[in-house]
């Protein structure tokens, strides 16, 4: 009888230990794809489990605003672009960047070469496809710095076409250029049968107007809770292990992403190619936000002419508290 009781006690202890894992809900900026491979790898490879975390990854989509999800308590941490996060902060949602897995921006403008566009100055008097829902901020700042109005076509203005999350406006010649990411939409254009020789691209990084993408953000008040801070330290540490593993094993990381794609919409070829491009953007980051990169982003957003993305220097928009502890 004693052995039976001991076994039962051990089973209860084991069950209790399993339940003790701290829950974390991560809201992604977009659908399940290699853009977020590091988190899926950390889940698949047991990096979160090793940190005693029970992580749920919530995919995004066209009808999901990460800032609204975290504001409503639907997530503990969210992946967001810094322009959108800083704009939300200025409007009253106190988001704080706790880690920055992406070192470089993947955003660019992809144009038909036969339109005669060969330099940014040639963009005036064109129709340009632009993503909105917070993704338009870097573009607006860039146009302002070029002295190009976004109010309509003209010698010093462009027509801004609100671009859906596809490349149809370019393929159908509705726009001279469209917004693309180095790891996604550009390759959708190529896959549609367009030769790279027919295109000219302008990377935001090369134009000096790149802003930080895919950082990890939490609500400021939560950072007052030591337990939450500790949980985020473990989450960031495991996530960065996932990102570095993905960089070193891009094909395997892409397969893990595919295994987690409940929609079945992704293809192996596209995800492997995406992962190889994403690895270029996360390379060079250990997860800690670079103050220089932050300041460059803020400057770009403040230099928005008559309608800047943010109107004043943010205060308290980032912290090294998490990464200092997680990455030591």
């Amino acid at each position: 009888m004693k052995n039976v009781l001991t076994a039962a006690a051990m089973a209860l202890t084991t069950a209790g230990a399993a339940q003790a894992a701290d829950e974390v809900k991560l809201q992604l900026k977009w659908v399940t794809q290699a853009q977020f491979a590091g988190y899926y790898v950390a889940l698949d490879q047991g990096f979160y489990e090793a940190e005693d975390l029970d992580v749920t990854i919530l995919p995004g989509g066209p009808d999901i605003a990460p800032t609204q999800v975290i504001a409503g308590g639907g997530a503990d941490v969210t992946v967001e672009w810094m322009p959108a996060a800083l704009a939300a902060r200025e409007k009253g949602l106190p988001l704080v960047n706790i880690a920055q897995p992406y070192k470089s921006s993947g955003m660019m403008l992809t144009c038909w070469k036969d339109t005669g566009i060969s330099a940014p100055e040639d963009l005036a008097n064109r129709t340009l496809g632009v993503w909105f829902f917070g993704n338009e901020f870097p573009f607006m700042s860039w146009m302002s710095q070029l002295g190009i109005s976004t109010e309509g076509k003209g010698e010093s203005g462009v027509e801004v076409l609100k671009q859906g999350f596809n490349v149809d406006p370019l393929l159908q010649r509705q726009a001279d250029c469209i917004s693309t990411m180095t790891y996604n939409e550009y390759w959708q254009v190529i896959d549609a049968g367009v030769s790279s020789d027919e295109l000219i691209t302008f990377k935001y990084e090369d134009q000096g107007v790149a802003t930080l993408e895919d950082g990890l953000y939490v609500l400021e008040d939560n950072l007052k809770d030591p337990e939450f801070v500790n949980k985020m330290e473990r989450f960031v540490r495991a996530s960065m292990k996932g990102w570095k593993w993905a960089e070193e094993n891009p094909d395997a990381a892409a397969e893990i992403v595919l295994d987690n794609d409940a929609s079945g919409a992704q293809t192996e070829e596209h995800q492997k190619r995406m992962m190889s491009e994403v690895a270029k953007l996360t390379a060079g980051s250990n997860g800690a936000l670079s103050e220089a990169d932050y300041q460059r982003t803020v400057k770009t957003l403040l230099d928005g002419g008559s309608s800047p993305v943010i109107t004043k220097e943010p205060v308290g928009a980032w912290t090294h508290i998490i990464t200092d502890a997680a990455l030591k």
Side-chain angles (χ1 to χ4, degrees):
M1 186 67 173
K2 182 179 179 181
N3 288 340
V4 172
L5 289 173
T6 302
M10 287 178 65
L12 286 171
T13 301
T14 303
Q19 292 171 355
D22 293 318
E23 293 185 1
V24 174
K25 287 186 178 180
L26 169 67
Q27 176 63 58
L28 302 183
K29 182 172 175 60
W30 193 237
V31 298
T32 300
Q33 57 183 18
Q35 177 183 357
F36 312 108
Y39 310 112
Y40 288 111
V41 166
L43 188 64
D44 181 86
Q45 295 295 302
F47 299 154
Y48 289 137
E49 185 179 7
E51 293 286 355
D52 199 26
L53 295 175
D54 177 12
V55 175
T56 300
I57 301 175
L58 305 170
D63 302 320
I64 298 172
T67 51
Q68 291 179 10
V69 173
I70 196 168
D76 301 292
V77 56
T78 186
V79 177
E80 186 54 278
W81 286 8
M82 186 168 281
L86 293 182
R89 184 177 178 84
E90 187 165 294
K91 292 174 183 172
L93 181 63
L95 291 175
V96 179
N97 178 297
I98 60 167
Q100 188 60 45
Y102 272 55
K103 175 68 175 174
S104 306
S105 165
M107 196 170 188
M108 61 184 182
L109 207 60
T110 295
C111 311
W112 286 114
K113 193 178 288 185
D114 63 15
T115 58
I117 296 173
S118 60
E121 293 72 25
D122 300 328
L123 295 172
N125 206 24
R126 311 284 185 171
T127 299
L128 310 180
V130 179
W131 294 314
F132 277 73
F133 305 104
N135 301 328
E136 75 275 21
F137 298 139
F139 170 83
M140 297 300 186
S141 295
W142 182 24
M143 291 300 106
S144 178
Q145 291 181 40
L146 287 171
I148 296 177
S149 166
T150 56
E151 296 302 313
K153 272 187 182 180
E155 288 187 9
S156 59
V158 296
E159 177 187 352
V160 174
L161 175 69
K162 285 194 176 182
Q163 180 184 335
F165 295 98
N166 58 57
V167 298
D168 292 347
L170 190 74
L171 298 178
Q172 297 170 6
R173 295 279 181 167
Q174 297 168 339
D176 301 293
C177 311
I178 60 169
S179 300
T180 60
M181 301 303 289
T182 56
Y183 51 79
N184 196 356
E185 291 77 14
Y186 173 79
W187 295 103
Q188 291 178 23
V189 176
I190 298 298
D191 287 343
V194 178
S195 164
S196 59
D197 293 336
E198 298 177 79
L199 304 170
I200 182 167
T201 60
F202 302 101
K203 292 183 179 180
Y204 281 54
E205 283 282 348
D206 296 340
Q207 300 304 317
V209 292
T211 53
L212 287 168
E213 299 163 0
D214 287 57
L216 291 172
Y217 293 84
V218 301
L219 293 177
E220 190 168 351
D221 280 353
N222 287 337
L223 292 172
K224 298 173 184 176
D225 178 359
E227 289 186 7
F228 181 84
V229 169
N230 176 264
K231 187 164 67 171
M232 287 300 103
E233 289 169 3
R234 288 178 281 140
F235 173 76
V236 167
R237 181 162 52 240
S239 295
M240 288 314 300
K241 284 182 182 177
W243 274 117
K244 296 308 150 183
W245 192 98
E247 286 176 24
E248 294 169 7
N249 307 276
D251 284 354
E255 292 288 357
I256 290 171
V257 170
L258 287 166
D259 288 344
N260 284 275
D261 174 30
S263 73
Q266 307 295 356
T267 66
E268 182 177 355
E269 180 186 12
H270 188 56
Q271 289 309 300
K272 286 185 175 180
R273 191 164 55 189
M274 184 183 292
M275 186 60 238
S276 68
E277 292 295 328
V278 164
K280 299 174 186 176
L281 306 181
T282 57
S285 173
N286 66 352
L289 173 68
S290 158
E291 288 190 52
D293 291 346
Y294 168 79
Q295 291 298 339
R296 181 195 66 195
T297 295
V298 169
K299 182 179 185 305
T300 296
L301 299 180
L302 285 170
D303 291 345
S306 60
S307 55
V309 176
I310 52 176
T311 60
K312 57 183 180 292
E313 187 90 19
V315 177
W318 62 276
T319 180
H320 277 161
I321 290 174
I322 303 299
T323 51
D324 281 350
L327 307 174
K328 63 184 178 182

